[in-house]
Amino acid sequence: MEYARLARTYQRLEETSARLKLIEELAGLFRDTPKALLRKVVYLCQGKIAPDFAGVEIGLAEKLAARAVAEAAAVAEEKVQSALRRRGDLGSVAEELLAERGARRSHLTVEEVFSHLEAIAQAAGKGAQTQKITALAELLRRATPLEARYLVRTVTGKLRLGVGDASILDALAEVYAGGRANRVPLERAYNICSDLGLVAETLARGGISAVERMEVRPGNPVRPMLAQRLGTAEEILAKLGGRCAVEYKYDGERVQAHRLDGRILLFSRRLENITEQFPDAVELLQTGLRPKRAILEAEIVAVDPDTGELRPFQELMQRRRKYGIEEAAQRIPVGLFCFDLLYGEEGDLTRRPYLERRRALERAIKPSERLQLATWKLVASAEELEAFFEQAIADGCEGVLCKSVAEDAAYQAGARGWLWIKHKREYRTELQDTLDLVVVGAFYGRGRRRGTYGALLVAAYDPEADRFPTFCKVGSGFSDEDLVELPRRLRPYEVSRRPARVDSRMEPDVWFEPAVVLEVVGAEITLSPVHTVAWGRAREGAGLALRFPRFTGRYRDDKRPEDATTVDEIWEMYRRARGRAVRVAESEG
Ligand code: AMP
């Protein structure tokens, strides 16, 4: 298959800001792709050559890529650099310079491009830089100008087509599963293996039934199951059928530990491989985990080395570092509190009910001082639940997680359903609770903030529509360091137009591809004529907005944009707050 076919699709994807059109374009591409190539084409559409968790980075520094562009276009490096200063995008520069060199017929195939990209990613050690530049220059020399645009963006990690994984799944369903309505089994498969290429290949080869038969496998991170939230013990019990399991909610970082081939791998909630960061946690599991192949979930928490008491989340964050890992592990030791087993001696457990998984977890762990099972209890009354909650708070936890003990309470990878419900202290006072919102735009600052941003336009996530509706403009809570830091963090995601998945009636000075998640607090949720969260749900022609939003200082790097607070969660908070207001008014009246 010719790479030119892919480049043309990229171009059309880039030009559209309508999600349905994106899917149509992708479906057209997948239809034209031979089955044996589909896996690679899917990765390329994601701007990658392997699933994220594999840790294969093409990521060629722009400076090196610029050298390859100069080589291929046979111009001086300075010319590339000055064009880059003018245009701000090396892909467009490559396109322009190669076009000046005169037209050519392309013969690049997808296979060739892919294997060159692999070579670029894999080159290591002495002479690696030169190898990478040579490999890219070779591709560019044979590329048409349009192909060059996308090759350069791919190797520098800046493809940014505005295509989310959900759009790719929709397109695959369109071509191979009889329509978008049949996306659900594909989603499940993706959620349990985190490898879109693998799902595509399985689907193309064995049809939807092969996809349905896919199971979790140690080595492939599973998208975590998430919890809904409710404010009172009564509501929780009513939702869970009168009885449930309650577990301590530890305030640390979620990890998914995989054991295979004698190794332990640790994945973050965002499915990044964080094994290197926690050698002590790896050690704990090497000795304390019985099954030779396993997938286990735990909260990793900083513990006081002297007293064994739990330490706050902020201390654990100091363990997220590249250097001085051993020293940090000595200074800030961690404990693991295990709460689920997705794979064990019994094989795939994700379709088994909670109680069965918990029993399997108990068999799988040899507990020690720093490797423990999450403290839990079965409860059947609000009083018992409340008492357990108070005990959790007293023991340094954030609250509790209430889990369904129904026969069909399976592990729902990637879903925020009602089988798990969290209950935190803050919910009692209105909107003390924090929201995790995605930055989608910014307004330039004035006065003291000249040269940086004055406010950020932030959005929630709507998983059904796979869109990011705006929720508020955040201008306060930023320290001087944040004001320096923010442009640096956000610049890589800057795009010239509203990204297709962003739902906004406001026009900020700068748009960003949804990527950076911030923790925000606010005073209350109100109706809004401009913000698009839950548009039309409370009132026609109005959405919801957060009043008096303030950045808490916490960057949620552990969350993907799709892990942001959802529209339904916000709707629920709004509805409950209003319910309360009505009750207060009635009792006062
Ligand atoms: P939240 O981040 O507020 O949505 O709360 C859910 C998170 O609580 C999970 O992703 C875990 O990181 C964490 N957590 C702590 N203890 C537990 C537990 N016993 N069961 C499930 N999740 C837990």
Side-chain angles (χ1 to χ4, degrees):
M1 181 172 172
E2 294 209 341
Y3 184 67
R5 173 71 182 83
L6 208 58
R8 279 198 304 278
T9 304
Y10 286 161
Q11 186 181 21
R12 288 194 292 260
L13 290 173
E14 209 183 347
E15 279 165 5
T16 179
S17 53
R19 189 169 178 274
L20 282 180
K21 191 85 190 8
L22 291 181
I23 296 166
E24 217 174 275
E25 286 298 340
L26 286 168
L29 173 69
F30 296 159
R31 234 174 248 121
D32 289 355
T33 304
K35 286 183 184 175
L37 252 191
L38 190 61
R39 185 175 189 142
K40 290 180 175 171
V41 166
V42 165
Y43 291 145
L44 288 174
C45 286
Q46 291 182 295
K48 310 171 186 167
I49 51 170
D52 279 339
F53 67 84
V56 182
E57 298 273 343
I58 325 176
L60 193 61
E62 198 159 69
K63 241 179 87 201
L64 299 187
R67 240 181 263 168
V69 172
E71 225 178 285
V75 298
E77 224 177 298
E78 182 40 43
K79 180 162 182 191
V80 177
Q81 288 299 348
S82 78
L84 180 57
R85 279 191 294 275
R86 178 164 45 83
R87 306 204 53 156
D89 163 40
L90 190 61
S92 310
V93 170
E95 180 177 16
E96 182 183 295
L97 292 176
L98 289 190
E100 282 174 14
R101 202 190 41 173
R104 61 192 45 241
R105 252 190 72 79
S106 167
H107 302 291
L108 278 178
T109 65
V110 172
E111 290 91 332
E112 279 174 310
V113 167
F114 203 88
S115 60
H116 271 76
L117 295 179
E118 280 179 327
I120 293 173
Q122 279 156 13
K126 216 168 136 252
Q129 281 200 358
T130 321
Q131 278 176 39
K132 286 174 196 264
I133 297 173
T134 312
L136 177 58
E138 205 176 300
L139 275 180
L140 293 177
R141 249 192 303 270
R142 295 175 47 205
T144 62
L146 186 69
E147 289 173 333
R149 183 204 293 183
Y150 295 111
L151 285 170
V152 167
R153 288 188 190 164
T154 302
V155 296
T156 52
K158 290 187 178 154
L159 192 58
R160 275 190 244 140
L161 298 170
V163 172
D165 295 344
S167 314
I168 297 182
L169 285 171
D170 271 336
L172 287 170
E174 198 72 65
V175 179
Y176 281 108
R180 285 201 289 146
N182 299 326
R183 191 179 91 179
V184 177
L186 298 186
E187 229 163 67
R188 174 193 167 268
Y190 184 34
N191 284 335
I192 64 167
C193 75
S194 309
D195 183 343
L196 210 47
L198 175 66
V199 176
E201 186 173 79
T202 309
L203 177 67
R205 297 226 159 122
I208 197 80
S209 63
V211 171
E212 277 163 346
R213 284 194 305 274
M214 283 172 72
E215 296 195 328
V216 295
R217 46 178 96 186
N220 282 47
V222 181
R223 201 137 271 160
M225 174 166 178
L226 303 169
Q228 285 284 0
R229 53 175 94 195
L230 279 176
T232 70
E234 286 81 7
E235 285 171 298
I236 293 171
L237 278 172
K239 200 86 189 177
L240 295 177
R243 63 188 212 107
C244 66
V246 213
E247 293 179 357
Y248 276 15
K249 183 176 193 303
Y250 299 91
D251 188 14
E253 185 177 2
R254 186 173 188 152
V255 285
Q256 198 174 82
H258 288 235
R259 183 190 244 175
L260 70 159
D261 311 328
R263 290 179 301 153
I264 299 276
L265 298 174
L266 301 180
F267 293 105
S268 71
R269 178 193 168 120
R270 300 185 58 157
L271 316 183
E272 295 146 336
N273 188 328
I274 51 168
T275 314
E276 302 281 309
Q277 246 129 63
F278 295 106
D280 42 352
V282 169
E283 182 66 37
L284 287 171
L285 290 164
Q286 283 292 14
T287 44
L289 185 60
R290 288 199 175 90
K292 291 289 164 254
R293 286 171 61 77
I295 305 177
L296 158 144
E297 280 199 323
E299 191 81 355
I300 194 162
V301 187
V303 290
D304 188 312
D306 301 321
T307 64
E309 275 175 21
L310 303 181
R311 305 293 305 158
F313 176 79
Q314 282 72 7
E315 278 184 31
L316 180 74
M317 281 300 104
Q318 297 180 32
R319 291 288 308 267
R320 282 294 204 118
R321 51 172 64 221
K322 278 210 182 108
Y323 308 103
I325 289 173
E326 288 296 337
E327 181 270 326
Q330 292 294 329
R331 199 159 42 84
I332 310 160
V334 296
L336 285 173
F337 294 89
C338 308
F339 57 80
D340 219 317
L341 190 69
L342 314 189
Y343 190 99
E345 306 284 5
E346 308 79 357
D348 183 344
L349 289 162
T350 54
R351 297 186 203 247
R352 317 298 320 162
Y354 165 81
L355 284 175
E356 208 174 298
R357 299 201 307 278
R358 173 84 198 193
R359 281 194 293 271
L361 180 65
E362 282 166 8
R363 287 193 297 273
I365 295 283
K366 284 180 271 181
S368 60
E369 199 187 327
R370 282 169 47 206
L371 176 67
Q372 296 184 20
L373 287 135
T375 303
W376 80 314
K377 189 179 180 180
L378 288 166
V379 300
S381 76
E383 292 72 42
E384 280 177 289
L385 204 163
E386 284 290 344
F388 190 81
F389 173 79
E390 294 302 338
Q391 186 191 326
I393 300 288
D395 282 342
C397 290
E398 258 190 311
V400 291
L401 263 134
C402 305
K403 301 185 175 178
S404 167
V405 291
E407 265 310 299
D408 56 358
Y411 185 93
Q412 298 178 323
R416 190 185 291 283
W418 289 100
L419 295 181
W420 287 9
I421 303 175
K422 57 191 172 190
H423 182 41
K424 295 201 235 178
R425 179 177 290 282
E426 301 103 56
Y427 299 160
R428 296 175 168 190
T429 50
E430 187 184 336
L431 274 190
Q432 286 296 302
D433 197 17
T434 59
L435 298 120
D436 299 318
L437 302 171
V438 190
V439 184
V440 296
F443 299 87
Y444 291 129
R446 296 198 203 119
R448 217 169 61 80
R449 294 218 184 153
R450 185 181 295 278
T452 174
Y453 303 130
L456 302 178
L457 181 62
V458 295
Y461 183 56
D462 179 349
E464 254 95 274
D466 183 31
R467 292 183 71 97
F468 295 91
T470 69
F471 190 38
C472 59
K473 268 167 74 173
V474 194
S476 62
F478 299 110
S479 67
D480 291 346
E481 291 86 70
D482 290 327
L483 291 175
V484 177
E485 167 81 0
L486 276 166
R488 200 183 58 73
R489 263 182 193 256
L490 288 165
R491 193 154 301 128
Y493 306 106
E494 200 173 314
V495 284
S496 57
R497 304 188 293 142
R498 178 179 62 75
R501 292 191 297 158
V502 171
D503 211 346
S504 176
R505 299 165 70 88
M506 249 184 198
E507 188 69 32
D509 296 322
V510 193
W511 288 108
F512 301 111
E513 193 60 52
V516 175
V517 180
L518 302 181
E519 189 179 77
V520 173
V521 287
E524 66 172 320
I525 299 169
T526 57
L527 287 174
S528 159
V530 286
H531 290 292
T532 51
V533 161
W535 189 259
R537 246 205 257 185
R539 183 185 300 162
E540 209 176 304
L544 296 179
L546 185 62
R547 268 187 79 199
F548 305 127
R550 185 166 49 77
F551 176 47
T552 63
R554 195 153 148 181
Y555 296 96
R556 293 301 309 252
D557 291 338
D558 57 324
K559 293 202 166 183
R560 297 173 309 142
E562 288 86 357
D563 295 326
T565 301
T566 63
V567 168
D568 280 345
E569 285 178 278
I570 292 174
W571 173 251
E572 191 60 26
M573 290 163 93
Y574 173 73
R575 214 183 47 82
R576 293 170 48 77
R578 269 203 15 188
R580 209 155 25 226
V582 170
R583 279 198 302 279
V584 170
E586 278 169 357
S587 65
E588 281 171 355

